[in-house]
Amino acid sequence: MSQLRFKVVDEAFNRKADPVSIPAERPEKYYGCQVFNRQKMFEYLPAKTYDALVSAIDNKQPLPREVADSVAEGMKRWAIDNGARHYTHWFQPLTETTAEKHDSFIEHDGKGGVVEKFTGKLLVQQEPDASSFPNGGIRNTFEARGYSAWDISSPAFILGNTLCIPTIFISYTGESLDYKTPLLRALNAVDEAATAVAQYFDPEVKHVRSYLGWEQEYFLVDEALYSARPDLMLTGRTLMGHESAKNQQLEDHYFGAIPSRVEAFMLDLEIECHKLGIPAKTRHNEVAPNQFELAPVFEETNLANDHNVLLMSLIAEVARRHHFRVLLHEKPFAGINGSGKHNNWSLGTDKGVLLFSPGKTKRDNMQFITFVVNVMAAVYRHNGLLKASIMSATNAHRLGANEAPPAIISIFTGSMLSDILDTIENSTNDQLADLANKERLDLNVSQIPEITLDTTDRNRTSPFAFTGNRFEFRAVGSSANCASAMIALNAAVAQQLKQFKGKVDARLEAGETLTHALLEEIRALIKESKPIHFDGNGYSEEWKAEAQRRGLDCETSVPLIFDAYLRPESVEMFKEAGVFSKVELEARNEVKWEMYTKKIQIEARVLGDLAINHIIPVATRYQSILLDNVTKVKSLFPAEKGEKIAAADLVTIEKISDHMRVIKDEVAKMVDARRVANKITDEREKAIAYHDTVVPCMDVIRYHIDKLELSVDNEMWPLPKYRELLFIR
């Protein structure tokens, strides 16, 4: 096995950058060439069909079936003209991946041949088998069917030779079985609630859109090294491995020069992204060795989420072309940065006004403060739910370590916004003085002038930070579907805005002025949400104790964190927003607990196999070599001198024996714990059992294997080490 290790290390070390086929045209010429966007619609659809489809998209209205037939014909012609021979309804089940079933365009022509045909019925709706997708008991075994239905707001695209049609996925009885359905519901809810509040400041506002800019972090590992690590292949992370003497402590990798082989991969990926309409813009080295980031231009949340899910499959395919394997696991390597997917979220009106951006007039700034404070209140009231929305078996390894935010939701505002909120809270009237300068704010409320915010003071330990004209939800994990966090956040904000408007309207009906009514409710929200506001060090033990005193959710057990979805206030919020029924929430939690159990179960099996069949035999062989050496030394030298020479080897032999004994004992204990847990039928209780009894064994096993790695002869160690995985380009 050690010979294989050195062979793959040598292969990875000597691999050169592969050439990339760069289009002759500039990006604007081929951008979106594989997307049925409005330009392609205009070209391939009759004028009336084009107008009807665009109107339905812009006004969020259903598409008439007769129009769907015309759209399907035009979409088919475009797809075939661009090399597609099949079509699929592309959806996002609760597996955290995408799903698709391919059908060709052919139909019988009645004469023994076939014709290429695609109807509106096939475009709008299909009935894929729902039996194999996670459903949390929401459907009976005999009701295997599910429905997928076209989301007209997300354009179809060609991937490979297949026309992909973004769709929702629901059960036979109508409950959502995917991420897109509740996301669309949450976006509609925040649109309605935010529009009603925005009309206080501009009655002409018709819609408020939710925007998302994600930052996808990932690791790259050479494919040869990846193949030599069964834990990476089967779980996405290293279940063992002592940290390298040099890792990220010099911070030399962050924003450093991109290695040529990686840059070739990045260029290839960007070209593929641009063809598919994914506006990839930023690329750079991240803090950890072999860790990188890709970030796009902001888009509407639904489309941005589709693009991120598409990217996660695309990046894996492109990586293989360059003999890499991409790791999207939140913590593939211990002791260095994990990978997140920061969700930069904002709201904007159909008039082009960003609601979290300070303006130049008192009306604009009153609007800005209104929306910022309502977001803070929503995050405070549902901080446990927001934590549950980003939690998983994989993200639990990342949170609270190596620059990742802690698993306690708090909001960082920065000194400038903090000063503004404090001034408003403590003000007793509706009059304002001018802002003195950027550093000193004299705020006094009804005459809010231009607000200049310094956004450079960004607290890297904050899971939810205000960063100038948006909020950055930094706790989202790199492998997650952004929709999970966006569903909870947009729904919570929708409920909060709706309640805020109700209270303001009641004050207006009582004869108060709009300014006074808004400010009184804003002051109340600032005071209420104070516990969520924290600009300090989120890693400190003092903050954990303080957060507990403030009443924030400080739970650390992943299965118990998921309970937040079923708290009465969460159930009521989702119901009020029209996002989830209680049945859907219960089903989704069943899926979450089941997925947690399965991921830990797989990791435990892999770790047990590697420990007993790979590590222990190698350690035993090395121990035998040392024992043989001790015997020979003692036979060659006088007793006292022989004992002295052999002393170091004897210490090592004893250490190896101790580590192997603990590993064997803990593997047996872990197997027994799994057997006991597997007999539990309740998914929540089973997940808790895996968390409480299996995971601790895995931690102990890893500790002792990592110690063996430092003791056993390097040439005998069977698996590529961290210094080999992380520092070969």
Side-chain angles (χ1 to χ4, degrees):
M1 188 66 181
S2 59
Q3 291 180 346
L4 173 62
R5 174 182 150 219
F6 290 125
K7 178 182 177 181
V8 299
V9 168
D10 186 62
E11 180 182 346
F13 182 82
N14 290 296
R15 208 186 300 278
K16 303 298 181 184
D18 289 341
V20 179
S21 178
I22 303 175
E25 307 90 353
R26 303 300 299 166
E28 61 265 23
K29 297 295 184 181
Y30 61 84
Y31 186 86
C33 65
Q34 293 173 213
V35 182
F36 194 60
N37 53 26
R38 296 197 181 194
Q39 178 186 348
K40 311 299 191 314
M41 293 176 191
F42 186 81
E43 181 181 351
Y44 279 86
L45 300 180
K48 289 185 178 180
T49 302
Y50 172 82
D51 291 341
L53 178 56
V54 169
S55 176
I57 294 171
D58 289 345
N59 296 302
K60 300 185 178 182
Q61 296 172 343
L63 190 69
R65 185 54 64 93
E66 60 272 13
V67 176
D69 284 327
S70 181
V71 173
E73 176 58 28
M75 189 182 292
K76 181 204 73 177
R77 286 192 296 108
W78 168 76
I80 292 174
D81 285 350
N82 286 274
R85 290 294 177 266
H86 291 76
Y87 66 91
T88 183
H89 274 201
W90 182 81
F91 56 96
Q92 303 167 33
L94 301 179
T95 55
E96 299 282 351
T97 58
T98 56
E100 52 197 69
K101 179 191 74 170
H102 296 191
D103 288 299
S104 69
F105 288 112
I106 64 169
E107 298 286 350
H108 284 297
D109 66 356
K111 302 173 184 177
V114 295
V115 294
E116 291 179 318
K117 189 176 181 181
F118 187 51
T119 64
K121 180 180 179 181
L122 295 175
L123 167 64
V124 171
Q125 180 178 314
Q126 283 191 323
E127 295 183 7
D129 186 348
S131 60
S132 296
F133 293 105
N135 60 77
I138 210 167
R139 48 161 292 281
N140 295 313
T141 303
F142 59 85
E143 293 172 336
R145 285 188 301 171
Y147 295 111
S148 56
W150 179 31
D151 171 18
I152 64 173
S153 65
S154 186
F157 56 91
I158 295 173
L159 193 60
N161 296 311
T162 303
L163 171 66
C164 298
I165 303 159
T167 62
I168 64 170
F169 182 49
I170 59 175
S171 72
Y172 179 69
T173 49
E175 293 86 3
S176 62
L177 294 175
D178 66 343
Y179 284 102
K180 181 180 278 285
T181 304
L183 177 61
L184 291 173
R185 292 170 180 168
L187 297 179
N188 286 336
V190 81
D191 176 7
E192 180 181 349
T195 297
V197 174
Q199 286 173 347
Y200 285 140
F201 309 98
D202 182 357
E204 299 301 314
V205 171
K206 295 291 187 283
H207 287 289
V208 169
R209 299 184 177 93
S210 172
Y211 293 97
L212 171 64
W214 40 265
E215 303 170 23
Q216 181 69 60
E217 295 176 346
Y218 59 93
F219 282 85
L220 290 176
V221 174
D222 185 89
E223 65 179 3
L225 295 166
Y226 175 87
S227 298
R229 291 284 310 216
D231 49 354
L232 275 181
M233 292 176 62
L234 297 175
T235 73
R237 76 179 181 108
T238 53
L239 299 176
M240 60 190 72
H242 198 280
E243 67 180 52
S244 171
K246 177 186 183 297
N247 48 46
Q248 68 184 44
Q249 62 264 57
L250 295 179
E251 299 177 340
D252 52 336
H253 191 253
Y254 190 53
F255 275 26
I258 300 172
S260 58
R261 185 178 161 204
V262 175
E263 188 171 10
F265 153 75
M266 287 178 165
L267 177 59
D268 198 2
L269 177 61
E270 286 171 0
I271 291 170
E272 295 296 333
C273 283
H274 292 163
K275 289 178 180 178
L276 287 164
I278 303 173
K281 182 175 178 66
T282 301
R283 67 185 188 191
H284 62 82
N285 291 359
E286 259 299 337
V287 175
N290 274 8
Q291 186 187 33
F292 308 94
E293 180 181 296
L294 180 149
V297 178
F298 274 55
E299 300 178 285
E300 290 191 38
T301 297
N302 179 44
L303 181 58
N305 189 67
D306 280 359
H307 280 165
N308 182 250
V309 174
L310 176 57
L311 173 86
M312 288 196 289
S313 59
L314 184 65
I315 195 173
E317 179 183 338
V318 175
R320 285 193 293 271
R321 294 209 294 253
H322 293 262
H323 308 287
F324 282 122
R325 289 294 184 269
V326 64
L327 305 180
L328 294 178
H329 193 289
E330 283 76 6
K331 195 74 169 178
F333 303 102
I336 60 175
N337 269 25
S339 294
K341 180 152 47 191
H342 302 179
N343 277 207
N344 294 276
W345 170 79
S346 64
L347 297 175
T349 72
D350 53 358
K351 298 298 186 66
V353 176
L354 288 177
L355 297 174
F356 303 142
S357 182
K360 296 181 181 298
T361 68
K362 62 181 181 181
R363 184 195 67 177
D364 291 342
N365 286 317
M366 181 69 81
Q367 178 173 262
F368 158 69
I369 291 171
T370 295
F371 278 92
V372 166
V373 169
N374 272 279
V375 170
M376 294 179 68
V379 174
Y380 169 60
R381 291 176 180 176
H382 296 284
N383 69 94
L385 173 65
L386 289 174
K387 181 166 71 174
S389 76
I390 55 87
M391 188 53 68
S392 65
T394 53
N395 204 21
H397 295 289
R398 162 183 170 257
L399 294 177
N402 303 100
E403 284 201 4
I408 301 172
I409 300 297
S410 63
I411 295 180
F412 166 81
T413 62
S415 58
M416 305 304 287
L417 182 55
S418 292
D419 287 347
I420 294 170
L421 298 178
D422 288 344
T423 303
I424 293 174
E425 178 189 358
N426 297 319
S427 175
T428 57
N429 57 59
D430 298 343
Q431 297 303 311
L432 272 191
D434 287 340
L435 290 176
N437 53 52
K438 188 175 182 180
E439 288 74 34
R440 185 182 178 88
L441 296 178
D442 253 339
L443 211 54
N444 191 350
V445 188
S446 74
Q447 313 272 333
I448 302 183
E450 181 176 356
I451 298 173
T452 302
L453 291 178
D454 182 353
T455 62
T456 59
D457 182 21
R458 295 176 63 192
N459 187 331
R460 303 301 294 171
T461 70
S462 175
F464 199 94
F466 178 74
T467 56
N469 59 5
R470 62 193 183 275
F471 286 92
E472 186 176 2
F473 199 177
R474 298 183 60 247
V476 182
S478 54
S479 68
N481 188 316
C482 298
S484 181
M486 290 295 101
I487 291 165
L489 179 58
N490 283 282
V493 170
Q495 182 201 44
Q496 173 56 42
L497 288 170
K498 186 176 180 181
Q499 293 178 356
F500 176 81
K501 186 176 187 303
K503 292 180 179 179
V504 170
D505 285 350
R507 288 180 175 274
L508 295 177
E509 290 175 5
E512 295 183 21
T513 65
L514 177 60
T515 298
H516 183 77
L518 289 171
L519 286 170
E520 286 301 306
E521 291 304 320
I522 287 171
R523 288 189 185 104
L525 292 179
I526 291 173
K527 293 175 182 177
E528 178 191 349
S529 60
K530 266 188 174 299
I532 204 71
H533 181 195
F534 178 67
D535 287 357
N537 178 12
Y539 288 161
S540 69
E541 291 300 319
E542 291 80 8
W543 165 236
K544 294 177 184 177
E546 174 63 22
Q548 189 83 44
R549 286 193 293 271
R550 293 187 185 191
L552 301 181
D553 191 309
C554 298
E555 181 59 62
T556 58
S557 168
V558 176
L560 295 180
I561 287 172
F562 292 150
D563 287 346
Y565 273 99
L566 297 177
R567 291 173 185 162
E569 60 270 25
S570 298
V571 174
E572 181 59 31
M573 182 273 289
F574 281 124
K575 180 181 177 182
E576 184 179 328
V579 175
F580 288 125
S581 67
K582 187 176 181 181
V583 170
E584 288 174 315
L585 284 172
E586 290 171 340
R588 282 170 185 263
N589 259 29
E590 288 289 307
V591 173
K592 287 179 181 293
W593 287 316
E594 182 182 7
M595 292 295 287
Y596 176 85
T597 297
K598 288 180 176 178
K599 287 183 178 181
I600 301 300
Q601 184 181 71
I602 291 169
E603 288 188 352
R605 287 175 173 173
V606 172
L607 180 59
D609 172 58
L610 289 176
I612 300 302
N613 297 316
H614 292 66
I615 304 303
I616 293 295
V618 169
T620 302
R621 284 201 300 273
Y622 182 60
Q623 188 182 50
S624 297
I625 292 173
L626 293 179
L627 285 167
D628 184 56
N629 185 61
V630 167
T631 301
K632 290 176 179 177
V633 165
K634 287 185 175 182
S635 67
L636 287 173
F637 295 95
E640 185 176 344
K641 189 172 184 179
E643 288 289 346
K644 186 175 181 180
I645 294 174
D649 282 348
L650 287 170
V651 170
T652 301
I653 290 168
E654 185 177 1
K655 285 182 179 179
I656 291 174
S657 294
D658 290 342
H659 290 314
M660 288 197 298
R661 175 183 53 77
V662 176
I663 290 169
K664 291 176 182 178
D665 289 347
E666 288 296 320
V667 168
K669 182 179 175 182
M670 178 178 68
V671 171
D672 289 341
R674 287 209 319 268
R675 286 173 178 161
V676 172
N678 290 339
K679 294 178 181 179
I680 301 173
T681 57
D682 181 85
E683 292 295 347
R684 179 179 180 274
E685 295 305 315
K686 184 186 294 186
I688 292 172
Y690 263 84
H691 177 274
D692 293 350
T693 63
V694 177
V695 171
C697 294
M698 295 174 64
D699 293 338
V700 175
I701 293 167
R702 174 172 191 149
Y703 172 82
H704 287 276
I705 290 177
D706 290 355
K707 290 296 184 182
L708 280 179
E709 184 181 322
L710 297 178
S711 300
V712 173
D713 184 352
N714 178 63
E715 291 189 3
M716 296 180 66
W717 195 254
L719 304 176
K721 297 184 176 183
Y722 272 26
R723 66 171 184 266
E724 297 158 350
L725 290 165
L726 291 170
F727 292 96
I728 293 181
R729 306 304 188 203

